[in-house]
Amino acid sequence: MDAMAVLARTARPVPILPASSPAALRPSASLSFAASSRLRGGVALRAAWEGRVTRSRVSAGRIVASSVEQTYIMIKPDGVQRGLVGEIISRFEKKGFLLKGLKLFQCPKDLAQEHYKDLKDKPFFPKLIDYITSGPVVCMAWEGDGVVASARKLIGATNPLQAEPGTIRGDLAIQTGRNVVHGSDSPDNGKREIGKFCNSPVRCLSALQPILLQHNMHTFFFRLSW
């Protein structure tokens, strides 16, 4: 007799259970364990990933909160006279910094001397004061992540001939005595200079009147928040 026929005769028939039977719906122990393990593994992996993402977001939030600064930027008389105000402002805007305040300002001699008091003993100090008070300046407060150091890089070296191409002084100036723009060298000085220049009363000379009439205003000062 064929071996397959013998096995077919002697094998116990497998009972066919109704679909509603609990035994039919219940998976085997081995299958249940495997499925449960995969489920627990997936949940654990997802929890670990979400936790890592959450921690990253929290850390990033702390970094942003701790590095937001304000700096004082002043376009000097030569920059205003040469019509470079828009060019200089656009460089800070393109970098992504936020303009918090702006004012056209005629700097009085006493404020100029206070601003440059660290250079009082230098032989060029009198000419520096005459230069800064020779015409209107544009006073600005800028805000952003690490804005003080970044603004210094945008501005370039004090001597325009040593400033890198692509910087404001490297592209727009050639003399140290006419280097277009000033920027705070530290966050503390930024706050101090914003307080002195942006909160000072506006003083305009008669020489400004054609500019002011052209723009249909007497003086302008935009202040979003300090």
Side-chain angles (χ1 to χ4, degrees):
M1 184 181 290
D2 185 60
M4 292 300 293
V6 173
L7 288 174
R9 279 183 167 184
T10 57
R12 293 181 59 186
V14 178
I16 299 175
L17 300 174
S20 59
S21 170
L25 298 176
R26 185 170 61 248
S28 67
S30 59
L31 288 176
S32 298
F33 177 77
S36 176
S37 298
R38 283 196 299 270
L39 180 60
R40 286 197 302 270
V43 171
L45 180 60
R46 180 171 180 175
W49 171 254
E50 290 179 349
R52 185 168 60 184
V53 171
T54 301
R55 287 194 297 273
S56 299
R57 288 173 180 167
V58 171
S59 299
R62 285 200 297 267
I63 291 172
V64 169
S66 63
S67 62
V68 172
E69 303 168 341
Q70 286 193 351
T71 191
Y72 173 68
I73 302 296
M74 178 174 68
I75 303 175
K76 297 178 180 181
D78 57 317
V80 177
Q81 292 164 7
R82 292 172 57 198
L84 299 176
V85 174
E87 165 75 18
I88 293 170
I89 289 176
S90 70
R91 297 203 179 197
F92 288 91
E93 288 180 326
K94 289 175 182 177
K95 184 69 176 178
F97 296 128
L98 178 63
L99 180 61
K100 300 293 288 184
L102 179 149
K103 168 168 82 172
L104 184 66
F105 182 66
Q106 180 64 41
C107 184
K109 188 173 182 178
D110 56 346
L111 181 57
Q113 290 174 336
E114 169 64 21
H115 180 60
Y116 289 108
K117 63 183 179 180
D118 293 340
L119 303 174
K120 188 174 183 178
D121 296 332
K122 301 293 183 180
F124 56 81
F125 183 73
K127 290 185 178 180
L128 175 60
I129 300 304
D130 290 342
Y131 158 57
I132 290 298
T133 59
S134 65
V137 298
V138 174
C139 308
M140 297 179 288
W142 289 89
E143 183 178 274
D145 301 342
V147 67
V148 174
S150 187
R152 300 282 289 183
K153 291 180 180 178
L154 284 174
I155 291 171
T158 301
N159 185 347
L161 296 180
Q162 298 175 357
E164 293 291 330
T167 64
I168 293 172
R169 288 172 177 163
D171 290 349
L172 305 177
I174 56 175
Q175 299 179 28
T176 301
R178 297 292 185 272
N179 59 8
V180 180
V181 66
H182 161 83
S184 302
D185 58 7
S186 70
D188 289 340
N189 280 339
K191 291 179 182 179
R192 181 176 59 83
E193 291 170 355
I194 288 171
K196 285 195 304 183
F197 283 90
C198 296
N199 292 328
S200 299
V202 176
R203 302 183 185 181
C204 295
L205 295 178
S206 58
L208 288 180
Q209 294 306 315
I211 299 174
L212 299 175
L213 290 174
Q214 181 181 354
H215 290 83
N216 194 26
M217 60 180 74
H218 297 292
T219 59
F220 64 86
F221 174 57
F222 298 107
R223 176 174 173 173
L224 302 180
S225 64
W226 297 118

